[in-house]
Amino acid sequence: MFNATSISGFSSSDSIESPLSGYGWSSELAEEFAPLAEAGLVPARIVRVDRGQCDAVIADPETGEARTVRLDTRPVGDADMINCPCTGDWAAADLYAQPMAAVSALLPRSTAIIRKVAGKRSDGQVLAANVDTVLIASSLAADPDLGRIERFLALAWESGAEPVVVLTKADLVDDAEFIRADVEAVAPGVTVLVVSAETGEGIDVLRACTPGTTAVIGQSGVGKSTLTNALAGTTAMAVQEAREVDQKGRHTTTTRELIPLPGGGVLIDTPGLREVGLYGGEGVDLAFADIAELAEDCRFHDCGHRSEPGCAVQAALEDGSLPQRRMDSYLKLQRENEWIASRSDARLATERLKKWKTINKSMRAAGGSVKR
């Protein structure tokens, strides 16, 4: 059987550059993968996932060059969608599995963009894994929805990656810089760029802000696929025009796909997101860092920022330095987080109860008993 440690870059002690380095492979990953390599498994980065299978890039065992293979993902499937293989995941591939090559294990993720699934369910869905930078695309062809940008920022911060807001289609407006100032006000500590894929404005600056693995998220019609093509320097993704009547887009991109960039690094294009449900965590506090900073001056450390005396947040609302719209958005996202936390706790409790019922049933059938 092929010994994966013989391929350059697979062994943590190998100093030769791996053919997967352009896809984010590093010495840290090589060290983590070493035990799997000893078992004859090959590192692979998942490019796209489709119905129990995925396309993944590997270093060919024969030539040592990067190539794409089709892998069965069912061996690592999971009832919890968060744990299922996703675009951007690093995996251990068994090229000799039957009836087809398969994913044998997933490496731990450094970051993950997770949203709540649509509807009233509290489950999470991973949009992309092991991402360094999240580009939040918003079109200048229509007035930016500041509340939606705040929601995307909370989603990006929660992932563990660095968010960057990209205002696209700058060639269609004359007041792009004025709009950027409005967006910067709701994105404290975040880089906000104005770009045009049509004229090339801002693309070089954006390219310099996207080393490593970058994911592009946003609504349909904001120019994500066009932006991807501009960064990739090729027509990697199909594009469609947004409707002129309301500048809303059609779902041109239907799956998440990892695309190598000419200067190194990779980009993950994602389908347009109509619904952006948060999945809990500290993303909201990071997206509203200005409110968190104000709260430090409140008289009470557990201030609810409603009617408590000495509330610095309420004082900022009264003097106009903190817009009421932003405060309302913050409270709304906080309520969503609290709801997700309560539903997740209830779901986990139900799963634990079901597990123990199954164990007890099995033990009774075997004539024994089990204590919790």
Side-chain angles (χ1 to χ4, degrees):
M1 178 177 291
F2 160 68
N3 182 1
T5 58
S6 65
I7 293 294
S8 61
F10 287 7
S11 170
S12 59
S13 62
D14 197 335
S15 61
I16 302 176
E17 183 179 351
S18 165
L20 296 181
S21 60
Y23 290 85
W25 186 253
S26 65
S27 58
E28 290 79 10
L29 283 170
E31 184 174 355
E32 188 173 7
F33 194 86
L36 297 168
E38 292 291 346
L41 301 177
V42 175
R45 189 149 203 204
I46 295 179
V47 173
R48 69 183 68 82
V49 179
D50 179 31
R51 299 179 182 179
Q53 296 183 3
C54 73
D55 290 332
V57 62
I58 67 166
D60 189 284
E62 302 297 332
T63 66
E65 296 180 353
R67 70 177 178 90
T68 302
V69 297
R70 191 73 168 171
L71 300 173
D72 186 355
T73 61
R74 289 174 297 179
V76 293
D78 195 287
D80 189 340
M81 288 189 292
I82 290 180
N83 299 323
C84 290
C86 175
T87 300
D89 268 325
W90 283 102
D94 183 354
L95 301 182
Y96 301 96
Q98 296 297 328
M100 66 177 293
V103 175
S104 292
L106 295 177
L107 271 65
R109 294 163 175 160
S110 59
T111 63
I113 305 174
I114 305 175
R115 70 162 178 173
K116 185 187 78 66
V117 298
K120 297 183 178 180
R121 294 168 55 192
S122 61
D123 307 73
Q125 176 192 22
V126 183
L127 301 179
N130 300 308
V131 173
D132 301 305
T133 307
V134 179
L135 300 185
I136 300 168
S138 180
S139 173
L140 288 170
D143 291 336
D145 185 335
L146 299 181
R148 184 168 288 271
I149 290 175
E150 289 166 337
R151 183 176 290 271
F152 276 121
L153 283 167
L155 184 73
W157 280 121
E158 178 58 26
S159 74
E162 186 79 16
V164 173
V165 178
V166 184
L167 303 178
T168 64
K169 305 185 182 183
D171 54 290
L172 300 182
V173 296
D174 297 324
D175 56 350
E177 291 302 320
F178 179 80
I179 297 174
R180 172 159 65 175
D182 288 342
V183 174
E184 286 177 336
V186 303
V190 176
T191 299
V192 180
L193 300 177
V194 173
V195 306
S196 169
E198 183 71 22
T199 66
E201 177 187 352
I203 296 299
D204 287 342
V205 176
L206 176 60
R207 188 175 287 115
C209 294
T210 55
T213 299
T214 302
V216 185
I217 62 175
Q219 291 178 284
S220 296
V222 298
K224 297 189 306 299
S225 295
T226 302
L227 199 62
T228 297
N229 290 339
L231 291 171
T234 183
T235 307
M237 305 298 294
V239 297
Q240 294 188 57
E241 295 292 334
R243 297 197 302 254
E244 291 186 7
V245 64
D246 55 10
Q247 288 301 316
K248 291 186 178 180
R250 305 171 180 86
H251 278 290
T252 305
T253 302
T254 58
T255 186
R256 296 177 288 279
E257 184 165 353
L258 184 146
I259 300 164
L261 299 179
V266 294
L267 187 144
I268 299 175
D269 191 18
T270 65
L273 299 177
R274 288 195 179 97
E275 185 173 332
V276 190
L278 302 184
Y279 195 65
E282 300 178 351
V284 173
D285 290 334
L286 292 170
F288 292 84
D290 53 338
I291 295 179
E293 184 177 354
L294 285 170
E296 292 179 357
D297 293 329
C298 289
R299 179 182 301 178
F300 304 107
H301 73 276
D302 58 348
C303 183
H305 314 310
R306 289 176 173 83
S307 58
E308 294 85 350
C311 176
V313 175
Q314 284 296 324
L317 288 170
E318 291 172 4
D319 66 23
S321 58
L322 175 64
Q324 185 64 52
R325 184 215 62 79
R326 182 156 172 81
M327 185 62 184
D328 292 342
S329 180
Y330 169 73
L331 293 175
K332 179 180 180 180
L333 297 184
Q334 285 282 33
R335 288 193 296 270
E336 283 190 28
N337 266 356
E338 292 170 0
W339 181 85
I340 281 291
S342 64
R343 288 294 298 267
S344 297
D345 289 344
R347 178 166 54 86
L348 290 174
T350 300
E351 291 174 355
R352 285 195 297 268
L353 180 60
K354 183 185 296 186
K355 174 184 176 182
W356 280 109
K357 283 183 176 179
T358 301
I359 293 173
N360 277 310
K361 183 177 180 180
S362 299
M363 293 298 293
R364 285 196 301 270
S369 63
V370 61
K371 294 182 179 180
R372 295 190 186 185

